[in-house]
Amino acid sequence: MIKIKYTDHLKLRLKIRRIPEGYPKKIYQNPEQKFFDISEGTFIAIKKLFYNKKLRNMMIAYEKKQREIEIITIHPITDEKIINRVVRERWIKNE
């Protein structure tokens, strides 16, 4: 079984942004979109969730270790930013 680990940076982001603690795991386990970020070397997962009273795209960046997924950060992201990163080939589809 793969363990999901939250980095200290992610824990800080959750607190500062007041994002529910379970969101990163929920996004990882059931993403609506998945990419690989070529410039950062990380995997990206996106899911629409309620944040600040609106349904928003919430994005996590994570790394795959041997028997562990390490979630690095989380933040809301607009459709425009997603499209821009795909068009500029920074993100490639990771189905």
Side-chain angles (χ1 to χ4, degrees):
M1 182 173 199
I2 295 177
K3 179 182 174 191
I4 296 174
K5 179 183 174 191
Y6 286 15
T7 62
D8 290 339
H9 175 79
L10 173 64
K11 291 174 188 174
L12 179 63
R13 294 290 134 217
L14 291 171
K15 185 176 180 179
I16 289 171
R17 295 179 179 136
R18 296 184 177 162
I19 297 171
E21 192 174 316
Y23 272 18
K25 186 175 181 180
K26 186 182 284 193
I27 295 165
Y28 172 77
Q29 290 176 330
N30 192 20
E32 294 168 2
Q33 299 180 73
K34 293 178 1 181
F35 301 95
F36 181 75
D37 185 331
I38 293 172
S39 69
E40 297 293 328
T42 57
F43 293 91
I44 305 295
I46 301 170
K47 182 175 181 66
K48 286 192 186 292
L49 295 169
F50 279 96
Y51 175 64
N52 281 347
K53 301 178 183 175
K54 289 185 181 177
L55 189 61
R56 303 173 191 264
N57 290 317
M58 297 297 289
M59 180 214 110
I60 60 166
Y62 64 95
E63 293 179 344
K64 293 180 181 181
K65 307 280 180 157
Q66 285 188 353
R67 297 196 180 268
E68 181 177 88
I69 296 299
E70 189 174 75
I71 303 178
I72 301 163
T73 196
I74 184 172
H75 58 81
I77 188 166
T78 63
D79 287 331
E80 292 78 17
K81 283 189 179 179
I82 295 168
I83 292 166
N84 180 276
R85 290 175 185 179
V86 170
V87 167
R88 295 183 186 270
E89 297 181 351
R90 175 178 169 180
W91 287 2
I92 57 171
K93 283 275 187 191
N94 182 38
E95 297 300 326

